[in-house]
PDB file of all heavy atoms in Angstrom:
ATOM      1  N   PHE A  78       3.178 -18.371   3.031  1.00 83.00           N
ATOM      2  CA  PHE A  78       2.044 -19.291   2.928  1.00 83.00           C
ATOM      3  C   PHE A  78       0.869 -18.761   3.757  1.00 83.00           C
ATOM      4  O   PHE A  78      -0.272 -18.762   3.301  1.00 83.00           O
ATOM      5  CB  PHE A  78       2.463 -20.689   3.413  1.00 83.00           C
ATOM      6  CG  PHE A  78       1.396 -21.725   3.264  1.00 83.00           C
ATOM      7  CD1 PHE A  78       1.105 -22.264   2.026  1.00 83.00           C
ATOM      8  CD2 PHE A  78       0.687 -22.158   4.367  1.00 83.00           C
ATOM      9  CE1 PHE A  78       0.118 -23.226   1.886  1.00 83.00           C
ATOM     10  CE2 PHE A  78      -0.299 -23.112   4.239  1.00 83.00           C
ATOM     11  CZ  PHE A  78      -0.591 -23.647   2.994  1.00 83.00           C
ATOM     12  N   MET A  79       1.151 -18.279   4.971  1.00 85.00           N
ATOM     13  CA  MET A  79       0.091 -17.734   5.828  1.00 85.00           C
ATOM     14  C   MET A  79      -0.527 -16.491   5.215  1.00 85.00           C
ATOM     15  O   MET A  79      -1.736 -16.268   5.328  1.00 85.00           O
ATOM     16  CB  MET A  79       0.639 -17.405   7.220  1.00 85.00           C
ATOM     17  CG  MET A  79       1.062 -18.625   8.002  1.00 85.00           C
ATOM     18  SD  MET A  79       1.615 -18.312   9.708  1.00 85.00           S
ATOM     19  CE  MET A  79       2.436 -16.756   9.661  1.00 85.00           C
ATOM     20  N   MET A  80       0.270 -15.677   4.564  1.00 86.00           N
ATOM     21  CA  MET A  80      -0.242 -14.429   3.990  1.00 86.00           C
ATOM     22  C   MET A  80      -1.176 -14.671   2.808  1.00 86.00           C
ATOM     23  O   MET A  80      -1.971 -13.820   2.455  1.00 86.00           O
ATOM     24  CB  MET A  80       0.903 -13.505   3.572  1.00 86.00           C
ATOM     25  CG  MET A  80       1.653 -12.890   4.739  1.00 86.00           C
ATOM     26  SD  MET A  80       0.618 -11.886   5.821  1.00 86.00           S
ATOM     27  CE  MET A  80       0.270 -13.022   7.152  1.00 86.00           C
ATOM     28  N   LYS A  81      -1.109 -15.861   2.225  1.00 82.00           N
ATOM     29  CA  LYS A  81      -2.050 -16.197   1.151  1.00 82.00           C
ATOM     30  C   LYS A  81      -3.485 -16.124   1.659  1.00 82.00           C
ATOM     31  O   LYS A  81      -4.395 -15.770   0.929  1.00 82.00           O
ATOM     32  CB  LYS A  81      -1.770 -17.598   0.607  1.00 82.00           C
ATOM     33  CG  LYS A  81      -0.540 -17.678  -0.250  1.00 82.00           C
ATOM     34  CD  LYS A  81      -0.359 -19.077  -0.779  1.00 82.00           C
ATOM     35  CE  LYS A  81       0.913 -19.156  -1.590  1.00 82.00           C
ATOM     36  NZ  LYS A  81       1.134 -20.502  -2.115  1.00 82.00           N
ATOM     37  N   PHE A  82      -3.694 -16.462   2.931  1.00 76.00           N
ATOM     38  CA  PHE A  82      -5.036 -16.451   3.495  1.00 76.00           C
ATOM     39  C   PHE A  82      -5.519 -15.031   3.772  1.00 76.00           C
ATOM     40  O   PHE A  82      -6.708 -14.781   3.822  1.00 76.00           O
ATOM     41  CB  PHE A  82      -5.095 -17.298   4.767  1.00 76.00           C
ATOM     42  CG  PHE A  82      -4.859 -18.747   4.473  1.00 76.00           C
ATOM     43  CD1 PHE A  82      -3.632 -19.330   4.717  1.00 76.00           C
ATOM     44  CD2 PHE A  82      -5.856 -19.523   3.914  1.00 76.00           C
ATOM     45  CE1 PHE A  82      -3.403 -20.665   4.426  1.00 76.00           C
ATOM     46  CE2 PHE A  82      -5.638 -20.860   3.607  1.00 76.00           C
ATOM     47  CZ  PHE A  82      -4.413 -21.428   3.867  1.00 76.00           C
ATOM     48  N   VAL A  83      -4.609 -14.093   3.955  1.00 74.00           N
ATOM     49  CA  VAL A  83      -4.986 -12.687   4.105  1.00 74.00           C
ATOM     50  C   VAL A  83      -5.360 -12.122   2.742  1.00 74.00           C
ATOM     51  O   VAL A  83      -6.365 -11.426   2.597  1.00 74.00           O
ATOM     52  CB  VAL A  83      -3.843 -11.860   4.741  1.00 74.00           C
ATOM     53  CG1 VAL A  83      -4.177 -10.387   4.749  1.00 74.00           C
ATOM     54  CG2 VAL A  83      -3.559 -12.357   6.158  1.00 74.00           C
ATOM     55  N   ASP A  84      -4.544 -12.430   1.743  1.00 73.00           N
ATOM     56  CA  ASP A  84      -4.789 -11.927   0.390  1.00 73.00           C
ATOM     57  C   ASP A  84      -5.987 -12.586  -0.276  1.00 73.00           C
ATOM     58  O   ASP A  84      -6.719 -11.956  -1.023  1.00 73.00           O
ATOM     59  CB  ASP A  84      -3.566 -12.152  -0.504  1.00 73.00           C
ATOM     60  CG  ASP A  84      -2.434 -11.216  -0.174  1.00 73.00           C
ATOM     61  OD1 ASP A  84      -2.693 -10.155   0.419  1.00 73.00           O
ATOM     62  OD2 ASP A  84      -1.284 -11.539  -0.523  1.00 73.00           O
ATOM     63  N   GLU A  85      -6.148 -13.881  -0.019  1.00 74.00           N
ATOM     64  CA  GLU A  85      -7.187 -14.645  -0.706  1.00 74.00           C
ATOM     65  C   GLU A  85      -7.831 -15.617   0.287  1.00 74.00           C
ATOM     66  O   GLU A  85      -7.382 -16.751   0.440  1.00 74.00           O
ATOM     67  CB  GLU A  85      -6.572 -15.429  -1.874  1.00 74.00           C
ATOM     68  CG  GLU A  85      -7.571 -16.114  -2.727  1.00 74.00           C
ATOM     69  CD  GLU A  85      -6.926 -16.847  -3.885  1.00 74.00           C
ATOM     70  OE1 GLU A  85      -5.745 -16.645  -4.179  1.00 74.00           O
ATOM     71  OE2 GLU A  85      -7.633 -17.639  -4.511  1.00 74.00           O
ATOM     72  N   PRO A  86      -8.882 -15.189   0.992  1.00 66.00           N
ATOM     73  CA  PRO A  86      -9.513 -16.039   2.007  1.00 66.00           C
ATOM     74  C   PRO A  86      -9.990 -17.392   1.469  1.00 66.00           C
ATOM     75  O   PRO A  86     -10.090 -18.344   2.225  1.00 66.00           O
ATOM     76  CB  PRO A  86     -10.696 -15.202   2.492  1.00 66.00           C
ATOM     77  CG  PRO A  86     -10.304 -13.802   2.200  1.00 66.00           C
ATOM     78  CD  PRO A  86      -9.481 -13.879   0.937  1.00 66.00           C
ATOM     79  N   GLN A  87     -10.251 -17.500   0.186  1.00 68.00           N
ATOM     80  CA  GLN A  87     -10.697 -18.763  -0.382  1.00 68.00           C
ATOM     81  C   GLN A  87      -9.539 -19.735  -0.619  1.00 68.00           C
ATOM     82  O   GLN A  87      -9.747 -20.832  -1.115  1.00 68.00           O
ATOM     83  CB  GLN A  87     -11.446 -18.515  -1.693  1.00 68.00           C
ATOM     84  CG  GLN A  87     -12.750 -17.779  -1.504  1.00 68.00           C
ATOM     85  CD  GLN A  87     -13.740 -18.574  -0.669  1.00 68.00           C
ATOM     86  OE1 GLN A  87     -13.852 -19.782  -0.805  1.00 68.00           O
ATOM     87  NE2 GLN A  87     -14.437 -17.901   0.210  1.00 68.00           N
ATOM     88  N   ALA A  88      -8.324 -19.355  -0.266  1.00 60.00           N
ATOM     89  CA  ALA A  88      -7.161 -20.203  -0.490  1.00 60.00           C
ATOM     90  C   ALA A  88      -7.303 -21.553   0.215  1.00 60.00           C
ATOM     91  O   ALA A  88      -6.839 -22.571  -0.280  1.00 60.00           O
ATOM     92  CB  ALA A  88      -5.887 -19.510  -0.043  1.00 60.00           C
TER      93      ALA A  88
END
Side-chain angles (χ1 to χ4, degrees):
F78 184 76
M79 293 184 325
M80 289 300 99
K81 286 182 182 180
F82 294 101
V83 174
D84 287 338
E85 187 179 347
Q87 293 297 320

